[in-house]
Amino acid sequence: MSEGKLLPFRRVEGRTKELSDRALVSAVAEGDQAALGALYDRFQRDVYRFVVRLASSSEADDFAQMTFLEAYRSAPRFRGDAAVKTWLFGIAANLVRNHHRGTQRKQRAHDSLQTMPRRPPTDPGEAITREQQRQWLARAIDMLSPALREAYVICVIEELPGKEAAQALGVREASLYRRLTDARNAIRAAIEEMQS
Amino acid sequence: MSAAKWKPADDELDGLARTLPMDERSSDRVEQERTSLLAQAAATSQQRRGSRTPVVASAVVAFAAAAAVILWLVVRPGAPTLPKESITALGPAHYERVAAWPDFRVRLDEGRIDVRVTKLAMGERFRVTTSDAEVEVRGTQFIVAAEQGKIESVSVGEGRVEIRWAHEQPIFLAAGQSWSPTKTAQRDEVQLAPSVPAHADVTSVAPSRSTVTSKRGTATTIATSDSGNTSKTSHTKSGAKPSTTDMTASQTDAKTSMTDSTMKTVPPKSPAIAPRPGEADFRSGIASLRAGDATAAVTSFASACKAAEKDALGEDACFWLGAAAKRAGQTSTAREALTRFLKTYSSSARAGEASALLGWLLYDAGELDAAQQRFELAARDRVPKVKESAERGLEAITRKRGTP
């Protein structure tokens, strides 16, 4: 016999799967927990992928769950002027931002910089492998300030259009693009530092 | 010789970023999280009217600074005309615009905001809501404070404000007055005398569990003209000695009409502002109602209603004309005034109240069909006492029709 496992209170079947994203949020706004389950099923992967880039993987689970809980609480106030995914990303970004405010994030980036393995000496003519580049890039993104990091993740990795991304992060589109440029420059500077 | 450094261009960088691996969660982990989410949701109430989102202090401070700069930009000499509304955070505050014109709404969760609204056109509304109250204004400047979504206080700098708090009757505040909800029941200085049968009257301008005080020039004084041309913004520390020479007649009225010992009156700080047409009559009408002289109030409100018919003040004056006439027993005047009010100000926040009053007048006159129509309209009002009055009216009609 397998070990005890938590079972969902209500699996979502039938009509909720046919609902549009916004109709689903409307149902959630009415307190429909089946709809909340469906909303979670539909967006949990996107939300997790988004928060895991903004926070550590150990925190990402909590942030993902908190995002949906907050979405449940604030669904009655969802006006439908943004895509549901954008709305959820906005909630997630706010949660991470509030949680990581202050020095905690900076300390993490600092620690990351201190413990980062330098590139081992290479033989002349050795090509830098793609895998190595990915490692540098991942670390460089991790070192970004929260504001630059969320801008880079939402625009580049999640590929949200500028207007929606700005809406989700609660900033002006121009500010978002400025942050995006700053983020790319900071990433390049960090990668260069790693190679020296 | 060493290997060439990797200096990726934007496209290469972004393309590579999209290929970064991500640890997928196991289906068991996802299922557990889902279950936990649904369990927590079952124990969580939804935010239907307010937010409990924590205040983000630094963002708010930055926003307040930005708001101050914007405010400075719009009030400096030669600046273009002011927008219809201006909202400034006074220190850390968390608020959100939830609806645009013509029914502008701001939800205040935390902190204090200074609100300035120019004279509104017909059909336009401006409201500040918290989870437990709603403050509606018409061409005014006022400060609202909230804590954890609950209203803390309202201070009116200029114009008039109507507060709908909890399930209490609406509260009417004039310039220089402030209000805060209190837990201890106490007499309210602006409570109208209940001079008519309870079943027939739903009008009142103050709740029983709140404090209204006149308080000018104390903690914060912000002056603005009624046309929206802000003349000066100043923050005065408590205890500073304000000037007494620039108080307007209307402000004097507001001050002197408050006669209770709980009143805290401090001479005003704001510059002189000319009273609007009908304002003196309106205040006189309110004072007469307070004194229990409904007949005198009818005369004053009739003048105010006529003088300010196209102004927001007229909306209040015309309503109170009908209400005062009903109290004075001037049935035909009351019917005419309330019918006219409902026709002229059909979208007024007081339409339900006026309908209920008119419904009772029609009921007393035996015009049951017309009364029923009015009560049905009033029964949809959001003010509980208006709804209750209308429902009692509908029941009375049913009983009367059932009587042979």
Side-chain angles (χ1 to χ4, degrees):
Chain A
M1 186 178 164
S2 64
E3 288 187 15
K5 176 186 163 187
L6 287 172
L7 296 174
F9 291 140
R10 293 163 72 183
R11 277 247 51 107
V12 176
E13 301 293 349
R15 289 193 308 147
T16 40
K17 283 188 177 173
E18 299 160 10
L19 293 176
S20 68
D21 293 350
R22 287 180 187 182
L24 207 50
V25 175
S26 296
V28 171
E30 295 302 314
D32 185 337
Q33 291 201 27
L36 177 63
L39 186 75
Y40 178 83
D41 291 342
R42 203 173 286 185
F43 290 104
Q44 63 87 10
R45 194 173 181 280
D46 290 330
V47 169
Y48 178 77
R49 191 182 59 212
F50 179 58
V51 295
V52 83
R53 300 285 183 208
L54 302 183
S56 68
S57 55
S58 61
E59 295 169 321
D61 278 336
D62 287 342
F63 281 126
Q65 184 175 329
M66 284 160 63
T67 299
F68 285 98
L69 192 60
E70 184 57 32
Y72 174 75
R73 293 179 69 221
S74 56
R77 294 189 285 115
F78 177 66
R79 297 192 301 273
D81 47 6
V84 172
K85 185 175 162 182
T86 305
W87 175 59
L88 290 170
F89 278 9
I91 293 171
N94 260 327
L95 288 170
V96 175
R97 203 181 296 157
N98 291 342
H99 189 258
H100 281 170
R101 191 163 299 285
T103 58
Q104 189 178 352
R105 177 91 203 144
K106 286 177 188 169
Q107 185 61 44
R108 182 177 164 220
H110 178 74
D111 292 345
S112 172
L113 187 63
Q114 296 303 307
T115 58
M116 188 178 302
R118 299 285 179 186
R119 180 187 171 213
T122 53
D123 292 333
E126 180 193 354
I128 301 168
T129 66
R130 210 60 174 162
E131 188 50 40
Q132 207 159 29
Q133 289 173 346
R134 281 199 190 91
Q135 284 179 17
W136 289 335
L137 177 56
R139 284 170 188 153
I141 293 171
D142 198 44
M143 289 164 63
L144 289 175
S145 70
L148 300 187
R149 186 179 165 94
E150 63 186 23
Y152 191 77
V153 169
I154 204 165
C155 289
V156 174
I157 299 179
E158 294 302 329
E159 298 182 85
L160 248 62
K163 191 176 175 183
E164 283 188 37
Q167 198 173 11
L169 299 180
V171 297
R172 289 186 307 116
E173 220 173 326
S175 302
L176 179 73
Y177 289 134
R178 194 167 55 246
R179 288 184 190 182
L180 192 56
T181 303
D182 291 347
R184 288 186 178 121
N185 290 338
I187 288 170
R188 266 192 287 269
I191 288 172
E192 192 168 349
E193 169 77 10
M194 289 173 215
Q195 295 177 83
S196 60
Chain B
M1 180 183 167
S2 64
K5 280 189 177 178
W6 178 51
K7 293 180 180 175
D10 286 355
D11 288 348
E12 187 187 1
L13 201 63
D14 295 350
L16 193 64
R18 291 185 197 108
T19 67
L20 288 175
M22 184 193 79
D23 293 334
E24 291 286 347
R25 295 189 295 175
S26 70
S27 59
D28 278 358
R29 177 73 197 104
V30 171
E31 198 65 53
Q32 283 173 16
E33 185 178 286
R34 186 180 191 280
T35 301
S36 171
L37 168 70
L38 293 176
Q40 289 185 60
T44 302
S45 60
Q46 291 182 313
Q47 296 173 347
R48 298 208 169 268
R49 295 184 62 196
S51 168
R52 293 286 185 272
T53 307
V55 177
V56 184
S58 60
V60 165
V61 169
F63 180 82
V69 170
I70 291 166
L71 189 64
W72 177 81
L73 286 172
V74 296
V75 301
R76 74 189 197 280
T81 54
L82 278 169
K84 216 170 187 57
E85 83 289 345
S86 162
I87 304 165
T88 309
L90 300 176
H94 186 259
Y95 63 93
E96 184 184 352
R97 192 184 83 167
V98 294
W101 296 107
D103 187 3
F104 197 101
R105 266 177 294 147
V106 177
R107 196 194 68 244
L108 175 63
D109 297 326
E110 199 79 41
R112 289 199 310 154
I113 54 173
D114 174 22
V115 179
R116 293 150 193 250
V117 187
T118 60
K119 193 166 76 176
L120 303 185
M122 194 69 70
E124 285 184 332
R125 302 179 74 184
F126 185 98
R127 288 178 282 170
V128 177
T129 61
T130 61
S131 65
D132 62 339
E134 184 174 277
V135 182
E136 179 152 13
V137 301
R138 299 181 181 93
T140 189
Q141 176 271 316
F142 67 106
I143 295 169
V144 193
E147 191 175 322
Q148 294 191 334
K150 304 282 187 186
I151 196 154
E152 283 283 292
S153 65
V154 180
S155 302
V156 181
E158 192 57 44
R160 294 171 314 287
V161 160
E162 183 175 339
I163 305 168
R164 291 180 281 277
W165 174 63
H167 297 297
E168 302 290 346
Q169 283 282 15
I171 305 154
F172 182 88
L173 287 189
Q177 292 182 327
S178 60
W179 170 90
S180 61
T182 57
K183 290 176 183 173
T184 312
Q186 52 188 284
R187 191 175 85 76
D188 192 304
E189 301 91 312
V190 293
Q191 177 77 48
L192 291 180
S195 56
V196 292
H199 83 277
D201 197 352
V202 294
T203 58
S204 171
V205 291
S208 56
R209 290 191 294 117
S210 60
T211 306
V212 179
T213 55
S214 180
K215 195 171 160 186
R216 296 194 66 83
T218 51
T220 305
T221 301
I222 300 174
T224 178
S225 72
D226 212 38
S227 60
N229 295 320
T230 305
S231 55
K232 184 175 73 175
T233 300
S234 64
H235 297 269
T236 311
K237 285 182 183 176
S238 183
K241 189 177 178 182
S243 162
T244 57
T245 55
D246 54 5
M247 186 162 66
T248 64
S250 61
Q251 287 160 354
T252 310
D253 286 346
K255 178 187 150 202
T256 54
S257 65
M258 312 293 284
T259 56
D260 199 87
S261 60
T262 59
M263 182 177 73
K264 297 170 189 170
T265 305
V266 181
K269 185 75 177 171
S270 57
I273 299 163
R276 289 182 298 169
E279 186 156 355
D281 284 327
F282 180 80
R283 292 186 182 284
S284 171
I286 289 286
S288 297
L289 272 183
R290 283 197 194 104
D293 189 351
T295 306
V298 169
T299 307
S300 298
F301 285 131
S303 298
C305 176
K306 192 176 176 184
E309 191 172 8
K310 292 179 181 176
D311 186 2
L313 178 71
E315 183 181 332
D316 286 333
C318 295
F319 168 81
W320 284 106
L321 170 60
K326 185 173 181 299
R327 288 185 182 207
Q330 299 174 15
T331 311
S332 60
T333 304
R335 278 182 62 163
E336 188 187 339
L338 290 168
T339 305
R340 194 171 158 201
F341 172 82
L342 287 166
K343 190 177 174 186
T344 311
Y345 307 102
S346 56
S347 60
S348 168
R350 289 197 182 275
E353 208 169 345
S355 280
L357 287 172
L358 186 54
W360 283 111
L361 288 167
L362 293 165
Y363 173 85
D364 290 341
E367 297 175 37
L368 299 187
D369 289 344
Q372 185 176 351
Q373 283 182 8
R374 296 300 179 184
F375 285 137
E376 282 171 352
L377 184 72
R380 294 199 291 270
D381 198 271
R382 62 187 163 184
V383 177
K385 288 195 177 175
V386 174
K387 285 181 72 167
E388 286 165 19
S389 177
E391 282 159 6
R392 281 199 302 275
L394 290 169
E395 286 167 14
I397 289 171
T398 306
R399 280 198 302 274
K400 202 163 190 173
R401 282 183 175 144
T403 306

